[in-house]
Amino acid sequence: MTDAIHGPIPILFEDGEALVIDKPGGLPLDTPRAGGPSLEVRLPELCLGFQRVPFPVHRLDRDTSGCLLLARNPKALKRFAAAFEARLVAKTYLGVVAGDVEGDSGTIDLALSKISSEAEGWRMIPAKKGKPSVTHWRVLDRRDGLTLVEFKPETGRTHQIRIHALAGLGHGLLGDAVYGEGKVGGRGAWRTLLHASKLVVQRDGKPPVEAEAPLPPDIASLGFVW
């Protein structure tokens, strides 16, 4: 974990207006109140010859690894943000579900809402009056009580895949102590095992931004084959 957070950040795609990085799991985008490593602090490393510091177009949770799009100038940021808003972005995630998922594929259509309490903080829950949230999924492999699942979200709600895994598939992601027990058969993980594996962003008059992040070692070490 420490080596990945402090080591070089891999570049998956680069041109004059965009970077896609392979964000390490455990690296938050914003600097924690108590200080410590963050992508915000490390953005100057990603100028790569440009004067402007690139800026994240979307968000990934601290634990989530993989494809993160950065805009290299304000105009690009505005265009990419509009593409996300118009759903001109295809995102693919791989997640290790802490249980044996029934079925091989399907669609989870569960509206989500945010709740909070002083004792437990905030979390997302399924709610009829919540924001529409849709995730397509398919099983890639099953091994030792764990299931490797490909998730393709249509919407981009906070914690969408994490809560959809629990509420839609019956099990949380391995390592996720908020939406599930975080472990199976006594086995856990130091982070929620969710990986943004592919990203495709459409652009007017230009080829799309396309990137694919290799499977991180902590997921690869579980021995999944597909």
Side-chain angles (χ1 to χ4, degrees), residues 3-216:
D3 290 344
I5 289 176
H6 294 284
I9 297 176
I11 307 297
L12 304 173
F13 177 94
E14 177 185 359
D15 70 6
E17 62 181 18
L19 293 175
V20 179
I21 64 170
D22 187 355
K23 186 188 84 68
L27 183 68
L29 268 64
D30 304 317
T31 304
R33 291 183 180 179
S38 70
L39 182 63
E40 180 182 24
V41 170
R42 300 193 59 184
L43 285 175
E45 300 173 25
L46 299 171
C47 289
L48 305 181
F50 280 50
Q51 292 186 345
R52 297 181 186 273
V53 174
F55 192 83
V57 179
H58 58 120
R59 300 191 67 81
L60 293 178
D61 290 347
R62 173 199 290 259
D63 277 5
T64 304
S65 56
C67 297
L68 180 71
L69 175 64
L70 308 179
R72 305 188 80 173
N73 61 66
K75 289 184 178 180
L77 177 61
K78 185 175 181 179
R79 287 196 299 270
F80 289 140
F84 273 82
E85 186 70 22
R87 298 186 185 179
L88 298 176
V89 179
K91 295 176 285 184
T92 302
Y93 293 80
L94 300 180
V96 179
V97 177
D100 191 7
V101 173
E102 293 186 11
D104 295 322
S105 63
T107 296
I108 301 165
D109 188 350
L110 284 174
L112 301 178
S113 182
K114 183 178 180 180
I115 62 168
S116 63
S117 69
E118 187 174 348
E120 297 184 1
W122 68 271
R123 65 167 59 196
M124 304 298 289
I125 61 169
K128 291 183 179 180
K129 294 184 179 180
K131 294 182 178 180
S133 306
V134 178
T135 305
H136 306 289
W137 62 274
R138 69 184 180 104
V139 170
L140 299 180
D141 194 16
R142 306 173 193 270
R143 187 170 296 272
D144 301 327
L146 302 175
T147 310
L148 182 65
V149 178
E150 177 187 82
F151 296 96
K152 292 190 174 184
E154 276 192 20
T155 49
R157 310 301 177 202
T158 301
H159 294 182
Q160 176 174 319
I161 293 174
R162 295 168 64 188
I163 185 61
H164 273 184
L166 176 63
L169 301 181
H171 306 279
L173 298 177
L174 189 65
D176 192 340
V178 176
Y179 302 104
E181 296 181 0
K183 60 179 64 177
V184 61
R187 290 181 300 160
W190 67 267
R191 68 175 179 109
T192 301
L193 292 187
L194 183 63
H195 178 63
S197 64
K198 295 180 184 178
L199 180 69
V200 180
V201 184
Q202 301 298 328
R203 298 189 286 187
D204 288 337
K206 290 186 177 181
V209 174
E210 296 188 68
E212 183 169 356
L215 204 62

